[in-house]
Amino acid sequence: MVMLGRQGAGKGTQCLRLSRHYVVPHISTGDMLRAAVREDTDLGRKAAELMANGELVPDDIMIGIVEDRLERGDTTQRGYVLDGFPRTVDQADALAKITAGRPLDVVIDLDVPREVVLERLGSRRVCDDCGANYSVAAPPRYGWVCDNCGGDVVQRDDDKPAAIERRLAQYEAKTAPLIAWYEGRGLLEVVDGLGTTEQVLDRMVATIDQRRGS
Ligand SMILES: [Zn+2]
């Protein structure tokens, strides 16, 4: 499956829960890029510069990363939850070609209004080492030190106000047309993303199970 939705809609959290529920890999292109940044690879250096400016990484790079990942045995055998890709109609076209032999079951649009995600993103804080999520309202127990691993908990550059505005504008311009694209192919399900993590997860599982059963 593919997960769509504005930045800050809770895609990362829900994808992680879904991957546990269905015992399939969670493939997050954002996490893959951030790992490349940490490891300071050529890709990582380029991605760091683009992400700091709130820009998207070019299609050819993203398509290559996703294609490599979807060829590994865990995804070919069990399926996957794909998070952060596609973000443009061109990427969706490329994904349709990559998955021609094993088409997607469903594309979920996790729907959370713009005002709500602006508020959520501005208050988000993330562990620099393990990626655990915190917020101004729900900080770590001691200072800004991760409860899980002791890493520094920080505001990511791409969660700062100017970058958030650019990312949301890009979402409206490039990613929102995907919703229509997938709807036209009969793959789209819209799930209300407001409420607790459990409530949203229950809605997702009900939607996915209904599709797989039908
Ligand atoms: Zn941590």
Side-chain angles (χ1 to χ4, degrees):
M1 65 163 280
V2 162
M3 180 81 83
L4 301 178
R6 291 188 175 84
Q7 292 85 356
K11 294 192 297 288
T13 304
Q14 291 299 333
C15 285
L16 207 59
R17 298 293 297 270
L18 286 173
S19 79
R20 284 185 199 146
H21 182 90
Y22 292 107
V23 198
V24 298
H26 169 210
I27 300 176
S28 160
T29 51
D31 286 350
M32 288 161 78
L33 287 172
R34 279 188 286 275
V37 171
R38 268 199 306 276
E39 288 154 20
D40 201 30
T41 62
D42 287 346
L43 167 67
R45 275 191 290 275
K46 186 163 177 56
E49 197 185 315
L50 292 164
M51 289 194 290
N53 292 323
E55 313 252 348
L56 294 176
V57 176
D59 279 358
D60 55 337
I61 296 180
M62 293 309 305
I63 290 164
I65 292 172
V66 169
E67 185 163 22
D68 284 350
R69 183 64 186 86
L70 293 188
E71 279 168 2
R72 289 199 213 154
D74 57 345
T75 63
T76 58
Q77 284 163 29
R78 294 213 46 93
Y80 50 87
V81 177
L82 184 55
D83 171 15
F85 186 95
R87 284 200 174 158
T88 65
V89 169
D90 284 347
Q91 290 182 359
D93 255 327
L95 182 63
K97 289 187 186 102
I98 293 167
T99 60
R102 293 175 304 115
L104 297 172
D105 287 331
V106 61
V107 175
I108 288 187
D109 174 23
L110 184 57
D111 186 34
V112 176
R114 186 185 158 87
E115 315 82 73
V116 177
V117 300
L118 271 172
E119 159 90 36
R120 282 189 192 169
L121 287 171
S123 67
R124 182 161 75 175
R125 302 293 182 271
V126 178
C127 173
D128 224 4
D129 288 334
C130 75
N133 272 283
Y134 300 92
S135 74
V136 174
R141 275 194 293 274
Y142 304 107
W144 289 99
V145 173
C146 181
D147 292 341
N148 298 337
C149 76
D152 287 338
V153 174
V154 299
Q155 184 171 37
R156 290 197 312 224
D157 285 342
D158 55 358
D159 286 339
K160 290 180 180 162
I164 292 172
E165 286 293 346
R166 270 194 296 269
R167 287 159 69 203
L168 285 176
Q170 265 174 346
Y171 179 82
E172 303 302 338
K174 293 188 177 172
T175 310
L178 278 180
I179 291 167
W181 196 88
Y182 278 123
E183 191 163 30
R185 281 156 183 77
L187 283 169
L188 189 77
E189 296 282 358
V190 179
V191 173
D192 177 5
L194 293 178
T196 65
T197 300
E198 296 301 329
Q199 286 166 339
V200 177
L201 181 69
D202 286 350
R203 275 177 223 143
M204 298 248 194
V205 168
T207 302
I208 293 166
D209 286 350
Q210 192 178 26
R211 253 201 185 250
R212 282 155 53 102
S214 63

